[in-house]
Amino acid sequence: MTDKIRVALVGATGVAGQQFLAALPDHPLFQVVKLAASERSAGKRYLDALRDPGGALRWWCREPLPAEYAGMVLADAACMSTEGIDLVFTAVESDAARALEPRFAQHVPVVSTASAYRYDPDVPVFLPAVNMDHTRLIDTQRRRRGWKGYITPGPNCTTTGLAITLKPILDRFGLEKVMMTSLQSCSGAGRSPGVIGLDIIDNIIPYIPKEEEKVEQETRKILGSIVQHGADVAVVPLSLSVSCTCTRVPVIEGHTEAVYCATSRPAPIAEVKQAMEEFGAELRRLNLPSMPAQLIYVHDDPFRPQPRLDRDCGKGMTTVVGRLRPETTLGTHGVKYVLVSHNTKMGAATGAILIAEYLTQTGYVR
Amino acid sequence: MTDKIRVALVGATGVAGQQFLAALPDHPLFQVVKLAASERSAGKRYLDALRDPGGALRWWCREPLPAEYAGMVLADAACMSTEGIDLVFTAVESDAARALEPRFAQHVPVVSTASAYRYDPDVPVFLPAVNMDHTRLIDTQRRRRGWKGYITPGPNCTTTGLAITLKPILDRFGLEKVMMTSLQSCSGAGRSPGVIGLDIIDNIIPYIPKEEEKVEQETRKILGSIVQHGADVAVVPLSLSVSCTCTRVPVIEGHTEAVYCATSRPAPIAEVKQAMEEFGAELRRLNLPSMPAQLIYVHDDPFRPQPRLDRDCGKGMTTVVGRLRPETTLGTHGVKYVLVSHNTKMGAATGAILIAEYLTQTGYVR
Amino acid sequence: MTDKIRVALVGATGVAGQQFLAALPDHPLFQVVKLAASERSAGKRYLDALRDPGGALRWWCREPLPAEYAGMVLADAACMSTEGIDLVFTAVESDAARALEPRFAQHVPVVSTASAYRYDPDVPVFLPAVNMDHTRLIDTQRRRRGWKGYITPGPNCTTTGLAITLKPILDRFGLEKVMMTSLQSCSGAGRSPGVIGLDIIDNIIPYIPKEEEKVEQETRKILGSIVQHGADVAVVPLSLSVSCTCTRVPVIEGHTEAVYCATSRPAPIAEVKQAMEEFGAELRRLNLPSMPAQLIYVHDDPFRPQPRLDRDCGKGMTTVVGRLRPETTLGTHGVKYVLVSHNTKMGAATGAILIAEYLTQTGYVR
Amino acid sequence: MTDKIRVALVGATGVAGQQFLAALPDHPLFQVVKLAASERSAGKRYLDALRDPGGALRWWCREPLPAEYAGMVLADAACMSTEGIDLVFTAVESDAARALEPRFAQHVPVVSTASAYRYDPDVPVFLPAVNMDHTRLIDTQRRRRGWKGYITPGPNCTTTGLAITLKPILDRFGLEKVMMTSLQSCSGAGRSPGVIGLDIIDNIIPYIPKEEEKVEQETRKILGSIVQHGADVAVVPLSLSVSCTCTRVPVIEGHTEAVYCATSRPAPIAEVKQAMEEFGAELRRLNLPSMPAQLIYVHDDPFRPQPRLDRDCGKGMTTVVGRLRPETTLGTHGVKYVLVSHNTKMGAATGAILIAEYLTQTGYVR
């Protein structure tokens, strides 16, 4: 036990924080030694902090609340020390992340689900198997900021499924343009208050503030290349035209996205399918605990993927694709498809854990 | 126009407040001359106060926002004067009502949707056609409190449908016991934050804090009798055993209730149906503007009532009953049935307006 | 009354058929004199035919079932005569329409909601205000087929909102390419069995068989031009590249569509908005009873349109647009937007009635 | 493998049939050797029979379709032989069960989810831990009917949760009266067509034909006692007054029930809770593979049970209770509570498997 990486989870009570805790019991590499939350919850036992004023236990995961965390007393994130901690996971809102993460990163690596630092030039936005070479940014970040640790946020939950399915297309056929309409689940909006029932039952909300800009910008960065600038490296974003419409639908979990791609070269459906299904083979060789058998699964059944049926594929770590067919309106060549991605697992907590596993195996943690 | 009752609406931005405004344009008796809200909204135009931080217009009613109210500037409820006002409607939370309503009631009548004063012995809880003789409590209340006006709250939205359907049974067959399980809609929980989508989609929440106690206590009071105590009168609650379970379901509007009654005398189904359908005939003779053609409509189709199909019956003022059948487990005689009642119309705003119309016609306003 | 157009409705019991009946009482031009249905329902009173085996009344419209139709006895569509009929509305499945419609069209005009003849070269697919000049096809159709009447199907319910919003863009800025992702409501799938709750609650179904092909083909035909070929005329479909993904969502009524257009010329947002809001002015001058005040309404609120809030705009006849913004990924110039269209009103029954009103006013009926 | 009980599953394609197959792979006692369905599906591979005409795979379980069954060719239930079969599970509609089950029962035991024979006096309706002594009816049934096998249907899915929670109350405090309002999920209505989305989204359906009668009658039979009549035994139904209202709600799986009991003796909440949580201890000693750790789990959190959060408790075999509180309206003493029971697992397929395991262990199979 003492050999495991000692982990602190900051933002433990939110939807994403809970997904971390649902995934971390008995983890072979990580041991949760500290939970932190906002001042309002600090000092309470985790179980008590989850109760709302009426007494309801606000635990959303399908997995039961692990007994080992229920009694842990929450630290106040604002003054949490990193003493005795090897790695910090943060699952807080962007404003809180902006204030907290640099303080932790002075001492230890911070793997984050927040957007605060995603767009800084020396901050990598890792997506498993897509851009592990961006680790080289870490050294630049450390040097520039004089930190012992560093910050690595994961992508927005809507970017995750898009970028992971675009990467094998980019590698094999080249990518010119991407259009995407998302049908996003309610869990993505969190709990305070998130999307209220009165708004979403029998309804669609056609706008999620800032979401489209995030998806467009992050996709280009994630798919970008590392270039050397003197002692430092930088990411050159992929030159890719991306256009999105992001909507909210009455679905609990699992983001659905209708994607249209124009490719540089002809992209026969069978080859695209093969490229997607083989994607991630190299990363799989590292035997990371949270790595699913397939990063992308492709359905032939035209009625799939469906969020309720497919979100839990690969324990929520596999992006499920269907309706793969030629797309010739957007460009000369291309494909269109529908994907489902679990927004609070691969798109948030478990995705961050998988990145942390990679960073641990490759020597970037402790 | 100058002849109309000059009305102030306090709590204009909430779900119930909006329903008042949806119902009041072109009202033959009332003219809205002032809108008030909490300090946060005071000073804003009504339309602007309805926008959330992201810019979304939080208007929930099916009817469009009446143009005549959109530009009105909101007063601060905490320091609103009743000068130039004949009548105040309040649609605020209980705590706010407790502080605000007595201040208004010193000068003018206050017809309220809040629970703050419902259980005070000198405060009537009017339900149309059920207990209009409780107006006699108004004189007692005024005398005791030294007010020029008075407070008359309407019942809880879940009590409304129950008590209105019990009254014709009570009058004709006597009532011994009542059991009720409610399936309540999300609009009843309001908007801050109300019930969140993450909790209610594909789900039932089996508990609504304080709701069952309210229903049990209010039902007895509403169905109670007026007795003289010296110069004053008081309500003697009906001696009736009531047991409830209140649940929340994924329905936008319209509370559904499964009701079981033990009656004092045999209650043949056909006679119960007739008693329900005739109920309110006397009140109907006053030609109050918000009075529906029937206060209770009884379906023979066993698949009715359904909230989505029946909540708007009589513009949301008719309680719709179905599945009327004998009940002999609860007592020797009785009936059981299912009802649907529009919780933010008859059960809140328009119900309060109908009461105000009655009070106006009978000389209790101005 | 005797002056009104005598109408038969074929397929009266389905979802679209019911919407016809909800709209036709007191219609100034049309009098329903006959209702027809399949052999299974023939001979029953309309009210009885709506009951399922368990006794439930299968009437879906928000408007109550008009009393004047409840007692009408259903004719058998397969052997219905057009004697005493001036006009037939059909609201049946495609296969039934293929067999029935030519038989009626030998004698009288048939305004249809079915797809059976939409793709025949001499059959116009009318969309109000978009292509009323396609009436010239009617003469060609009559001459070629030797019919006294003719067949005019309306578009697929998903095409309706798309084509009506594209037309003002096409006219003012030219159209190069269109991409569209739909989020379609359950009512579009009808009742036998339509979409079952078990499949659609907390879920998205990413495929609706044949829908995408219909939308792509119909959009080009509806926006096409009439050319003379000797004595006949024909429609030359618009040369427009269209790509769609059609999905089903847990919404009762109202199709939502995310649309992306590449235009031939720069399309400033303010001008596109103006073009949309002015669209249909010419048709409005005819004072057709079912014509809404605006065929297209454009919201500035980015959170609109929402199907639950906007589907009933203009009694379900107004297409509501929002999120209008520049689109430069698809082409050099362009716009993207979200629309909501009522799929069983403007997209089916009431849309067909509006067309029939136009044909009546312009001398194509009786 | 040859030692396992050889099982045929009749009605393999329906919702309940699928739940059998989701539960049976790697079962330590049972080996599925034959799948049967109606004539329409007979001769097809199981996987193909699950596809609807549009090609969609109609597999509803959260668990993936087990590969070992996908390729099995379906027998025609109407002429299926029991040769080589030790036990038949049936998951068909009542009419089909009426015709099929006696034919199989001539040769082998039939454990059924259908209602056809539930009300026959010599047919036990087993509910795990509640009435295992009713096995004595099996000998009577065999003798009377001259069968080698026998028929044992499980209860209606709504009866299951009710009767299993009533039993510990009955045993410890006596039971006088029971009232129950159910909020039933859509999966209980099956797939052909079940409840359609158009009817159930944003809605409640207050009637499920025949359901209330089944619950009332079955509860008395299941809780009844075995008495000797000469060579035979019979069940004397419990003398218990039961009154129900059964409704359908927009929930995918898991029936919620609000239960009110009048007990013969005072029933302190703490003792009722203890009685429920200890219930089934004796049966647990048999170590049956499908037996959960607890048959009943009692929540203190008043916001539980919720169907989405609690239906999968104990792999869908644990009935989850909450809101346990005194009930004094129905009778002198008593309790009221809310329960959630997984209607297609414990309430159908896995419940039947658990019964079959018991019958196997106690020598009633092979």
Side-chain angles (χ1 to χ4, degrees), chain D residues 181-335:
Chain D
T181 303
S182 71
L183 295 79
Q184 300 182 213
S185 76
C186 292
S187 68
R191 61 176 284 206
S192 324
V195 180
I196 71 171
L198 197 54
D199 281 341
I200 200 66
I201 292 173
D202 181 25
N203 208 14
I204 303 292
I205 300 173
Y207 181 49
I208 303 173
K210 296 188 200 160
E211 194 82 353
E212 294 161 5
E213 294 80 356
K214 286 180 188 174
V215 171
E216 293 169 15
Q217 188 172 357
E218 293 172 19
T219 301
R220 284 188 287 263
K221 179 169 183 175
I222 289 170
L223 298 177
S225 319
I226 291 292
V227 294
Q228 193 84 27
H229 282 293
D232 288 349
V233 298
V235 178
V236 179
L238 182 66
S239 169
L240 176 71
S241 187
V242 182
S243 175
C244 301
T245 301
C246 291
T247 74
R248 187 78 65 192
V249 296
V251 166
I252 289 286
E253 282 205 287
H255 287 355
T256 303
E257 305 178 19
V259 182
Y260 308 79
C261 307
T263 53
S264 312
R265 296 176 290 283
I269 295 305
E271 290 182 31
V272 174
K273 181 181 175 183
Q274 188 193 18
M276 284 183 169
E277 296 214 308
E278 290 172 1
F279 182 66
E282 202 171 325
L283 186 63
R284 206 148 35 234
R285 273 179 227 118
L286 295 183
N287 289 317
L288 303 176
S290 301
M291 184 74 178
Q294 282 184 273
L295 277 174
I296 306 176
Y297 177 87
V298 182
H299 262 291
D300 290 323
D301 183 341
F303 291 91
R304 303 291 281 270
Q306 297 178 16
R308 183 155 49 81
L309 299 181
D310 292 307
R311 60 194 171 204
D312 289 319
C313 184
K315 295 190 178 171
M317 297 298 282
T318 298
T319 301
V320 181
V321 166
R323 305 222 57 216
L324 194 55
R325 53 213 201 282
E327 167 55 47
T328 56
T329 294
L330 184 55
T332 316
H333 328 283
V335 289

Side-chain angles (χ1 to χ4, degrees), chain A residues 243-325:
Chain A
S243 175
C244 301
T245 301
C246 292
T247 76
R248 188 78 66 192
V249 297
V251 166
I252 290 286
E253 283 205 285
H255 287 355
T256 303
E257 305 178 20
V259 182
Y260 309 78
C261 308
T263 52
S264 312
R265 297 177 288 283
I269 294 306
E271 291 183 31
V272 174
K273 181 180 174 183
Q274 188 193 18
M276 285 183 169
E277 297 215 307
E278 290 171 2
F279 182 66
E282 201 172 326
L283 186 63
R284 207 150 34 236
R285 272 180 227 118
L286 295 183
N287 289 316
L288 303 176
S290 301
M291 184 74 180
Q294 281 185 273
L295 277 175
I296 306 176
Y297 177 87
V298 182
H299 262 291
D300 290 325
D301 184 340
F303 291 91
R304 302 292 279 271
Q306 298 178 15
R308 184 155 48 82
L309 299 181
D310 292 306
R311 59 194 171 203
D312 289 320
C313 184
K315 296 191 178 170
M317 296 298 282
T318 298
T319 300
V320 181
V321 167
R323 305 220 60 217
L324 195 54
R325 54 213 200 283

Side-chain angles (χ1 to χ4, degrees), chain C residues 58 60 187 193 195-199, chain D residues 58 60 193 195-199:
Chain C
R58 298 308 221 163
W60 273 280
S187 68
V195 180
I196 72 172
L198 197 54
D199 281 341
Chain D
R58 299 309 223 161
W60 272 280
V195 180
I196 71 171
L198 197 54
D199 281 341

Side-chain angles (χ1 to χ4, degrees), chain B residues 132-149:
Chain B
M132 305 326 290
D133 59 322
H134 290 199
T135 41
R136 293 178 60 199
L137 264 185
I138 290 175
D139 301 321
T140 295
Q141 185 190 140
R142 282 172 151 166
R143 185 164 44 243
R144 278 202 198 162
R145 307 200 182 204
W147 290 346
K148 193 153 166 277

